Amino acid sequence: MDLKIQISSMLFSFVFGIFFAFLVNLNYRYLFLGSRKRKVICNFLFFTVIGLSYFFILKEINEAVLHYYFLFLFLLGFYIFFLVKKRRKK
């Protein structure tokens, strides 16, 4: 995999982590509140759609090669979203 593809994959993973955190925040009441049956169904559908969309887009970028640093950047984007959100509340 050449450097240009790796950088675009890393950037995509970081931005997708931020997007994922935004969607989790937006759908908080459906994912974590309510009856147990509703939470299970919503979590299953939400994470299935998000996971499939991540891998389908990654397939278009780099033939779906997944490296540990892509996942690290995904988690970093997720974490940074909530750090920025926490600072804005103060």
Side-chain angles (χ1 to χ4, degrees), residues 8-70:
S8 63
S9 299
M10 290 167 59
L11 183 63
F12 165 72
S13 292
F14 180 75
V15 171
F16 197 82
I18 293 171
F19 176 70
F20 176 67
F22 173 74
L23 288 179
V24 167
N25 191 38
L26 190 65
N27 293 319
Y28 180 82
R29 62 183 156 165
Y30 299 115
L31 296 174
F32 302 110
L33 304 176
S35 67
R36 185 177 190 97
K37 183 178 178 181
R38 181 177 167 194
K39 284 193 288 190
V40 169
I41 291 170
C42 287
N43 275 311
F44 177 75
L45 291 175
F46 180 74
F47 289 109
T48 301
V49 169
I50 292 295
L52 286 175
S53 62
Y54 178 75
F55 286 111
F56 283 141
I57 296 171
L58 200 60
K59 184 179 180 195
E60 293 297 319
I61 295 173
N62 71 354
E63 302 297 322
V65 176
L66 188 62
H67 293 283
Y68 64 91
Y69 48 85
F70 295 162

Side-chain angles (χ1 to χ4, degrees), residues 73-88:
L73 284 168
F74 177 83
L75 293 174
L76 184 66
F78 187 85
Y79 182 69
I80 286 176
F81 174 83
F82 284 107
L83 279 180
V84 170
K85 183 182 174 206
K86 188 176 181 180
R87 287 211 170 179
R88 283 189 173 181

